[in-house]
Amino acid sequence: MIPLTMAQAGELVTIRRMTGRDEAGQRMAELGFVADSDVVVVSRMAGSLVVQVRDSRVALDQGMARRIMVERRGKDEDIEGCQGGAECHCGTAVR
């Protein structure tokens, strides 16, 4: 497991756990950041991340992204069954 901050743009990861139990963590869960959810890192800028989770793109600062522990799955286009187009392997729009 690694923190989400270590994932690269275009990489598909699966959330394994969230650290901390505060209001921010509860809000993240409401947005779909829960265990076993797939997330694609869309872009990285100055330590911040834009990620695709469920049907939404969410910008995360480095502190919040560091609290999300993930498992690497590969590049979105490398996942078996992914067409690399508008839909990724799990049905989440990526591009």
Side-chain angles (χ1 to χ4, degrees):
M1 263 190 311
I2 60 168
L4 183 57
T5 53
M6 295 184 69
Q8 299 301 311
E11 189 170 10
L12 174 69
V13 297
T14 300
I15 297 173
R16 291 301 174 209
R17 68 181 175 94
M18 300 277 298
T19 61
R21 297 186 188 270
D22 56 9
E23 289 180 20
Q26 178 62 35
R27 178 68 179 132
M28 296 299 292
E30 291 168 0
L31 290 171
F33 291 89
V34 294
D36 299 324
S37 293
D38 288 338
V39 175
V40 175
V41 178
V42 176
S43 65
R44 300 175 57 95
M45 287 188 236
S48 295
L49 299 169
V50 175
V51 299
Q52 180 86 30
V53 61
R54 293 188 182 173
D55 294 329
S56 301
R57 287 189 178 188
V58 179
L60 300 173
D61 67 17
Q62 191 171 22
M64 188 59 67
R66 195 174 18 248
R67 296 173 56 176
I68 303 169
M69 302 303 293
V70 300
E71 180 178 291
R72 286 187 160 133
R73 304 238 344 252
K75 292 286 187 182
D76 178 53
E77 62 272 7
D78 294 336
I79 301 301
E80 185 176 334
C82 180
Q83 301 301 309
E87 301 288 322
C88 79
H89 73 287
C90 62
T92 304
V94 176
R95 292 171 179 70

